[in-house]
Structure formats: structure tokens, C-alpha cells
Amino acid sequence: MQVKFPYSFDRKDTTISILDRFSTLEPASHTGTNVSVAGRVMLMRPQGKLAFARLVDSTGSIQLFATQDDSELFSEFSKLSIGDWIGASGEVITTRKGELSVRVQEWVLLAKTKRGFGDKWKGISDVDLKYRQRYVDLWANPESRSILQTRSKTIAFIRRYLDELDFVEVETPVLHPIAGGASAKPFVTRHNALDIELYLRIAPELYLKRLVVGGFEKVYEIARVFRNEGMSPRHNPEFTMLELYQAYSDYEDGIELIEDLISSLARELIGTTQISYQGRSLDLEPPWERKSMCELISKSLGEPIDLDVEYSHLLSLCKDKAIEVKDEWGPGKLILELYEKICESELWGPIIVTDFPQEVSPLARSHRSKVGFTERFELIIAGRELVNAFSELCDPVDQRDRFQAQAQLKETGDEEAMAVDEDYLRALEYGLPPTMGLGMGIDRLVMLIADVASIRQVIAFPTLRPEAI
RNA sequence: GCGCCUCUAGCUCAACGGCAGAGCAACGGACUCUUAAUCCGCAGGUUCUGGGUUCGAAUCCCAGGGGGCGCACCA
């Protein structure tokens, strides 16, 4: 006797395990092996006193074969809709045409669907609909589910990799009294009992370095961060960053670590370091090309560019490139703008761009030999900034000066400039050892590994304008 | 925020100034080996919304809304 909508179902077998065990049967075989499977009916082909259904679970799918002779509930079975959840048990067989199937002896309806799952062949492709009703997209378009599985594997790999290097995974506050650690506009929220405004974090950086001060020599956090900025195929208002900090190390160590992490990840998930992204090839085998920011600009412009070039000349170069210059910008900012305007879009990578001007790197340690620069690098892969890292600024006096320069920018209207964080300065006064810090956009990394063009594809529920229902 | 494109049945799409259609899904039926099964039948619409032009608008124009892409900002 069939019970509808039971509270549980004893699923003993996944579809993939059945496929693995019985992949080489002749047509019209009987195995004598009984299995019980559960999942969603995604195709139903009733044929008189026979019915064929495709049962899909999270591991794959298998055909269900039912006949009137075997099952007193045959007629109900043959009326199942696409999308219904069922549990079924019976013998593993192959049909006359050789299709591996479960010959249904017993089955139970676990949940009924009242809505359609889109076009049988094309699924759903309306981008808005896909993300508003992700639960439909994930069934109708198996590729969508596969991409999220790749995301899960990527993050699991990163954890395994860092754990093996004795990194400690930590969690730091999401609600910040001062939004620091990056240049970005924060979301503002409010704590009623404390009667204060709080900011959703734009980066975990300053808290992680406090932990290094506190004695954690290798820490990381896989951190959801929030930036109140425009959206695009490469930007979601909330996204996930990996940030890691390693004491006694500098940015050269960071380059080595990230080269090994990303190339190992590609080997593990794709099977090779020779990958392609959106039709263009990428060689992720280390070592990667390294160029300083000024080298890149100099090459593009065909003249030597450095911080000792006359300010007025940098200004005229910016003007030539239609860069809107603000009065308070110094030469370092002009150099960064030139790089971003004329070099960055030409880079495909992987390439390590090193030595950013100090003026635009308020948390990075001054370069040991290049005056006015910092020991900072960004990693460009597939034309996108994937990693930002540096030898951390440890000197509380220097850090206070940098914060104050940022605070001045904020006063002149730069909404993304940093504020002075007195507690962070106090932490530095207790002593931060030489430390390498590195941040990586996880969503963009997954885009690269899964070879997809839009960040929304790698986020289960990307931010959308609320629907008027 | 600005520019360009787009919105038609539950889904995927046609019709592009002259009766709003197809395939799939749904619904009813036939069928004992299907593979996007096939066949018969039936039903399904504020053509995103509002205004305008026109004898006549899904189609042209204006405004608004949703979405996409590009620019800007960033990871």
C-alpha cells in the first residue's frame, strides 16, 4: 500500500553508484539486484502498459522502467509529472534496447510539483527568470548546478591546501564600526541597543592583522564582504574573498604561494594548467610573468615612467589619455590611473603586476629599495584582477600618516577613502611582525575554473532588484 | 549614474502597420521497449505598464518599469 508524502524515505542507492556497478550489461539483462533510489522525475514516457521515466538525483540520473504487470500502482506512476519527487525500488535491469534501468516494483510519491520546469529541451534561458527562480534553473539547466558544484570544490580545495600549510581558519566581524581594509563604499546599518551606525565589512583585513598581532602566525578567512557599488557581470554587491596572512613573510612569498595554489587547483579540478577561458587559452604553469607597474606603463607609452618624472608631464600624459584628474591627486595616483587606463585592459595573464605607488596603497609596506613605492602586487588572469597582496605595513607611525592622508582625501569628497582606525593603530603599536597578506576574489576564481562569463553564474542567489509579486 | 539593446501563452520562440501563432509543458485519450517517444484531441494571451500617431499598433513615437551588455567604480 502506497503512502503519499511520507516523512522520510530510505534511499539506499544513488544513481551514480548504480551506473558504476552495472555499466557493462548486455541488453535485456536481469541482475537480481534490488536498489532503492530517490529523486525527481524529469522525463515521463508512458507507453500503454509500460512507462519509462528518468529519475534525477544529485549524483546523476537513471531510467525507471515500470510495467502494469509489476506494479499495482502503475497507472498512477505513468501519470507522474515532470518535477515530481519520488522514491522507488526494484531490480536493476537493462531494457531490450540496452538502457540501464530500475524496474519499479514499489514507489512512493515524496512531493508533487504544481508548476512546470520550462522547455523540456531548452530549459529556461531568460536570465532574469534563472536567477529569480534559481530552484527551477538548477533543475532545468544541469550546467547551472554543475557550476555551483565547482564553486564548492574550489573552496574545499583552498581550505585543504591552506590547512595543510598549518593556516588557521578564523571568523572576524561582519559588522564594523569603521569600514576599513579596502577602498570602497560600505553598506550602512544600525544597531538599536547600542544606538550606533555600523558598516557591513568591505574587507576583513584589519581584523585579520589584529589576529597576527595576537599570535596567529598563519590565518585565513573566507569572508563574505559587501560593497555598495555598481553591479556588472563581474561585480555582485556581496561577494566572497579569501584573505590570508602569513607572519615572517613578504610579498615574494605571497607570489610563490598563489602561483602554487592556483596552478594546483587547476590541476585538481580541470586536470591541467593549460586551460582556456571563454575561448582564449591560459597557461597557469608557474612561474608567471612579473612586471612592475612602471615597466608596463613605460612600455606602452614608449618612454620611461617613474615617480621622478615631472608631475606636470604626468599630468599632460593623463590629459592625453582623457583621464579626469582631480587636484588632490599626487604622482602616485596619476601613475595608477595611467596603468589602469592604458595597460590593464591589454593584459591577459597570468601576470604579476608589482610595485604600486605608496600613495594608492595605504596598508602596504614601503618598498625596500624603490622610494615612493610599496611591496605590493596584483595578479591578473583572463584580463581580470584576481589577487591583491603585499608586504604588510607594520610601522604604526607610518600607518598613522597613511591613514591621515586617506582621511584628507575623504574630506575632499572621496567616498572610498579610508578612515583613521585608532584601535588598529594601537594594535600595530603592540607590534606586527613582518607579514605577507593576500586577498583573492573567490567568485572570479570560480568563474575562471568553471569557464563562465558572469559572476551571477557562480553565486547561488545573486543580488537582484526585488520582484513585484 | 550614463549609453545601447531587449520584454509576445507556464517555458523556448515566430509574426515587424492589416484576424496573435508554433514547439515543448499542462489537460483528455490511444499505445508492452521508449531515449527531446509517437499519434489524436483540448485549452491556454492586459503582446511589461501608461499615453500618443494611425481607418487600424505586438509592430511606429513618448514616458515609466524589469532585464542584458558596454562605460564608470572596483575584486
Side-chain angles (χ1 to χ4, degrees):
Chain A
M1 187 65 198
Q2 189 199 34
V3 181
K4 269 188 192 176
F5 310 131
Y7 281 71
S8 65
F9 177 78
D10 186 15
R11 186 266 294 270
K12 294 192 176 72
D13 304 275
T14 58
T15 59
I16 198 166
S17 72
I18 299 168
L19 259 60
D20 284 348
R21 274 184 287 163
F22 301 101
S23 57
T24 57
L25 294 178
E26 296 293 311
S29 298
H30 292 256
T31 63
T33 303
N34 266 53
V35 294
S36 85
V37 291
R40 232 174 181 145
V41 174
M42 293 307 285
L43 276 177
M44 172 54 73
R45 288 187 278 265
Q47 186 159 335
K49 294 175 178 130
L50 294 179
F52 302 87
R54 180 134 298 267
L55 184 85
V56 179
D57 67 12
S58 67
T59 70
S61 73
I62 196 163
Q63 178 166 273
L64 301 180
F65 173 77
T67 77
Q68 198 169 43
D69 302 339
D70 290 339
S71 171
E72 58 186 69
L73 292 163
F74 173 79
S75 70
E76 284 82 358
F77 182 88
S78 67
K79 284 178 195 149
L80 285 169
S81 306
I82 290 174
D84 288 345
W85 294 86
I86 66 167
S89 58
E91 184 187 3
V92 177
I93 59 155
T94 55
T95 59
R96 284 180 209 164
K97 294 277 174 66
E99 179 82 24
L100 186 68
S101 308
V102 176
R103 184 163 183 150
V104 177
Q105 272 125 26
E106 290 178 28
W107 67 277
V108 60
L109 184 62
L110 302 176
K112 186 82 191 148
T113 185
K114 295 178 175 179
R115 294 174 181 260
F117 274 77
D119 190 275
K120 177 160 66 178
W121 188 239
K122 294 182 178 176
I124 57 173
S125 54
D126 182 284
V127 190
D128 191 32
L129 197 63
K130 273 166 70 87
Y131 299 117
R132 285 196 196 282
Q133 299 187 37
R134 204 62 195 280
Y135 34 85
V136 180
D137 175 44
L138 294 171
W139 280 103
N141 306 311
E143 173 68 8
S144 293
R145 192 151 44 156
S146 159
I147 292 165
L148 294 186
Q149 280 163 349
T150 296
R151 181 188 183 105
S152 168
K153 287 179 192 164
T154 299
I155 292 172
F157 177 88
I158 290 170
R159 284 211 164 91
R160 210 157 57 234
Y161 183 95
L162 293 176
D163 292 352
E164 275 172 23
L165 292 176
D166 295 324
F167 274 83
V168 175
E169 181 173 12
V170 296
E171 293 181 276
T172 63
V174 171
L175 298 175
H176 287 190
I178 297 170
S183 299
K185 282 179 228 164
F187 286 89
V188 187
T189 186
R190 165 151 208 90
H191 190 280
N192 290 338
L194 291 176
D195 193 25
I196 53 169
E197 287 198 331
L198 289 169
Y199 303 93
L200 300 189
R201 66 180 169 192
I202 55 176
E205 170 151 355
L206 301 183
Y207 284 96
L208 290 170
K209 280 187 277 189
R210 284 173 172 98
L211 288 174
V212 180
V213 171
F216 287 87
E217 295 171 342
K218 294 179 172 187
V219 288
Y220 73 97
E221 179 168 9
I222 293 173
R224 187 75 60 88
V225 298
F226 307 84
R227 298 190 182 176
N228 206 342
E229 292 160 353
M231 293 161 64
S232 85
R234 291 160 296 281
H235 301 84
N236 198 64
E238 53 179 301
F239 63 102
T240 303
M241 282 178 71
L242 166 71
E243 279 205 9
L244 65 85
Y245 293 83
Q246 178 168 288
Y248 321 125
S249 304
D250 63 13
Y251 77 145
E252 297 276 349
D253 299 311
I255 294 174
E256 273 179 39
L257 186 146
I258 202 64
E259 281 179 339
D260 189 61
L261 193 163
I262 291 179
S263 56
S264 302
L265 173 71
R267 260 181 239 113
E268 170 108 352
L269 262 58
I270 305 174
T272 172
T273 50
Q274 310 300 308
I275 71 167
S276 75
Y277 181 73
Q278 301 294 292
R280 280 185 71 180
S281 64
L282 269 167
D283 179 1
L284 297 182
E285 193 60 35
W288 297 335
E289 185 182 5
R290 295 187 198 184
K291 285 275 185 328
S292 77
M293 180 175 288
C294 284
E295 275 182 273
L296 288 168
I297 306 171
S298 303
K299 197 179 165 202
S300 284
L301 290 177
E303 62 173 295
I305 294 298
D306 213 323
L307 275 175
D308 53 20
V309 170
E310 282 290 328
Y311 182 76
S312 59
H313 184 57
L314 290 176
L315 266 182
S316 70
L317 287 172
C318 285
K319 202 161 284 181
D320 289 347
K321 300 297 174 186
I323 297 168
E324 278 183 50
V325 177
K326 290 182 183 157
D327 292 342
E328 56 271 21
W329 289 2
K333 177 67 172 168
L334 297 183
I335 283 177
L336 178 70
E337 290 288 324
L338 283 170
Y339 160 74
E340 287 180 347
K341 186 80 175 185
I342 62 185
C343 304
E344 203 172 19
S345 60
E346 305 299 316
L347 299 175
W348 179 248
I351 179 170
I352 307 275
V353 181
T354 62
D355 304 340
F356 284 54
Q358 181 171 308
E359 182 188 342
V360 295
S361 310
L363 301 167
R365 188 164 180 169
S366 299
H367 198 283
R368 65 194 75 184
S369 58
K370 296 183 182 176
V371 176
F373 291 95
T374 56
E375 296 199 351
R376 172 180 169 191
F377 75 87
E378 284 188 356
L379 166 63
I380 307 284
I381 299 186
R384 301 187 181 132
E385 226 177 292
L386 198 65
V387 170
N388 182 19
F390 31 88
S391 303
E392 297 295 337
L393 175 52
C394 306
D395 177 356
V397 176
D398 191 354
Q399 183 67 75
R400 182 176 291 280
D401 291 345
R402 309 269 196 104
F403 272 154
Q404 272 161 0
Q406 287 287 306
Q408 276 188 353
L409 285 177
K410 211 174 186 73
E411 275 177 27
T412 62
D414 184 347
E415 288 181 85
E416 295 182 351
M418 294 180 192
V420 180
D421 187 331
E422 287 293 345
D423 176 69
Y424 179 67
L425 290 169
R426 181 167 58 190
L428 291 187
E429 286 166 4
Y430 279 94
L432 177 69
T435 298
M436 175 275 290
L438 182 150
M440 173 161 65
I442 295 290
D443 311 86
R444 288 186 180 173
L445 178 66
V446 177
M447 288 168 70
L448 177 73
I449 297 296
D451 190 14
V452 298
S454 166
I455 197 168
R456 287 186 308 265
Q457 292 173 279
V458 304
I459 295 175
F461 300 100
T463 305
L464 299 170
R465 197 177 293 274
E467 182 180 15
I469 293 184

